[in-house]
């Protein structure tokens, strides 16, 4: 199985830097063949093009996508789910495409645009952390810093153990119901 671990976020934006910084940490590790670690913190249309550039026989089967997303949960809490791939209404997709063209970097937006253009792998597993600090600067809040190593271990397991995704609940963007949001 070919898998990509993808971080999405903004560098130097405190807790919202978790995706790119996780990629930085994991990129220096040894990985089995078929696992790639990449920062996808650029426009969603470019993400679509990045996936479409792979030859058909080299496309990914699974994406493990890591980001900080404010959903008004407990700060530092992790939400892990297999995204069901359900897209919003046509108007919602259009808003996501408009945001993509204007350079918005946001997990939901990237997933919606990439799914709309059929660029994502069949299986997308999302690891979200609830951020606190949304300001320019280095360093995570204590709650996100505490969750960071768990996120790294979880991303590695999900990328290297094909069966590990089976235990992850299927849910819509954000993880759905509270029962489906607890990290394994």
């Amino acid at each position: 199985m070919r898998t990509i671990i993808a971080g999405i976020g903004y560098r130097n934006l405190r807790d919202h830097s978790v995706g790119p910084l996780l990629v930085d940490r994991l990129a220096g590790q040894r990985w089995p063949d078929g696992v790639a670690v990449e920062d996808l913190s650029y426009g969603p249309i470019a993400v679509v093009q990045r996936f479409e550039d792979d030859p058909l026989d080299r496309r990914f089967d699974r994406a493990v996508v890591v980001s900080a997303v404010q959903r008004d949960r407990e700060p530092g809490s992790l939400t892990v789910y297999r995204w069901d791939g359900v897209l919003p209404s046509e108007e919602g997709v259009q808003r996501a495409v408009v945001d993509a063209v204007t350079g918005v970097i946001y997990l939901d937006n990237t997933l919606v645009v990439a799914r709309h253009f059929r660029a994502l792998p069949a299986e997308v597993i999302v690891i979200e952390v609830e951020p606190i600090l949304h300001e320019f600067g280095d360093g995570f809040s204590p709650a996100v810093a505490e969750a960071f190593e768990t996120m790294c271990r979880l991303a590695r397991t999900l990328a290297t153990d094909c069966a590990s995704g089976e235990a992850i609940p299927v849910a819509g963007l954000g993880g759905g119901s509270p029962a489906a949001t607890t990290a394994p």
Side-chain angles (χ1 to χ4, degrees):
M1 171 167 33
R2 289 191 34 81
T3 302
I4 184 171
I5 297 174
I8 297 175
Y10 288 95
R11 290 188 181 273
N12 302 314
L13 197 58
R14 306 290 305 259
D15 289 348
H16 292 272
S17 301
V18 76
L21 294 177
L22 181 134
V23 165
D24 290 350
R25 168 78 59 85
L26 296 183
Q29 298 179 6
R30 291 182 52 95
W31 293 94
D33 289 340
V35 176
V37 180
E38 296 182 26
D39 184 359
L40 296 184
S41 299
Y42 42 86
I45 298 299
V47 171
V48 168
Q49 293 168 335
R50 184 267 171 260
F51 282 124
E52 289 178 342
D53 282 346
D54 283 338
L56 290 176
D57 64 335
R58 299 286 301 156
R59 299 237 168 131
F60 294 105
D61 304 296
R62 175 184 282 177
V64 178
V65 184
V66 181
S67 190
V69 183
Q70 186 171 348
R71 304 220 193 260
D72 298 322
R73 296 183 173 134
E74 184 69 29
S77 64
L78 296 181
T79 304
V80 181
Y81 58 96
R82 285 183 291 155
W83 182 40
D84 62 13
V86 174
L87 294 174
S89 67
E90 278 188 42
E91 294 81 22
V93 171
Q94 183 61 39
R95 274 191 305 277
V97 170
V98 168
D99 285 347
V101 172
T102 62
V104 171
I105 308 298
Y106 179 62
L107 173 75
D108 294 4
N109 196 52
T110 300
L111 293 179
V112 166
V113 170
R115 176 67 78 210
H116 174 74
F117 288 107
R118 296 179 180 88
L120 286 177
E123 183 177 36
V124 176
I125 299 175
V126 178
I127 302 171
E128 298 179 6
V129 65
E130 182 71 31
I132 301 170
L133 300 175
H134 187 103
E135 58 196 37
F136 182 77
D138 293 328
F140 300 134
S141 65
V144 171
E146 185 176 321
F148 187 72
E149 291 304 322
T150 299
M151 295 174 75
C152 290
R153 283 191 305 275
L154 188 54
R156 183 171 189 87
T157 298
L158 291 167
T160 58
D161 179 357
C162 295
S164 62
E166 295 171 11
I168 306 296
V170 175
L173 289 172
S177 69
T181 62
T182 309

